[in-house]
Amino acid sequence: MSVVPRELIPRPAHTPDALRAALAVVDPSRLEELRGTKDDAFAKAVEWQSPSPVQSWVLTWARDIEIARRPELSARLSRARANLEHEDSVIAREALRELSAVLDEAMRAVGG
């Protein structure tokens, strides 16, 4: 029997309003950060006359929300971050590898 991963909320659409609403549920302490980075991304998009800063902003927040909405993935991220500066270099390297794996898994899940 396979185990279905638990998710706190459904994966949000890739729109600023949907991302904000999802973040308000899974990690409301980061709402101010989301707003500030959104403002920066839109300002750069205008300055650069390119949508790429906004696209980057959407993918970054979709990835972070993907991690926060999946407790197992969030726990893996926390464990990896806790060991990044471990005195044992083997443990620190493994933590870096795991951190990268979590970010990659979340990015693939959101289509990035």
Side-chain angles (χ1 to χ4, degrees):
M1 178 159 90
S2 68
V3 176
V4 176
R6 190 169 63 94
E7 299 172 347
L8 300 178
I9 62 170
R11 184 174 293 129
H14 288 184
T15 66
D17 287 342
L19 294 171
R20 183 181 32 74
L23 190 63
V25 173
V26 297
D27 196 353
S29 68
R30 294 187 69 196
L31 283 170
E32 188 64 29
E33 179 187 356
L34 175 118
R35 189 176 55 92
T37 58
K38 176 185 166 196
D39 292 347
D40 290 344
F42 277 81
K44 284 180 185 171
V46 170
E47 179 185 340
W48 298 353
Q49 297 181 7
S50 167
S52 65
V54 173
Q55 292 165 335
S56 239
W57 176 85
V58 166
L59 279 177
T60 297
W61 282 99
R63 179 203 65 203
D64 286 4
I65 291 165
E66 181 69 17
I67 293 167
R69 73 183 197 87
R70 294 171 50 191
E72 169 269 330
L73 205 55
S74 184
R76 284 175 56 201
L77 181 71
S78 293
R79 282 191 303 272
R81 284 183 173 160
N83 285 322
L84 280 176
E85 295 186 26
H86 197 280
E87 62 187 33
D88 183 332
S89 64
V90 173
I91 292 172
R93 275 194 303 274
E94 176 57 26
L96 184 58
R97 188 205 61 73
E98 177 67 357
L99 176 69
S100 180
V102 167
L103 294 173
D104 288 348
E105 180 178 333
M107 190 60 85
R108 279 191 308 275
V110 298

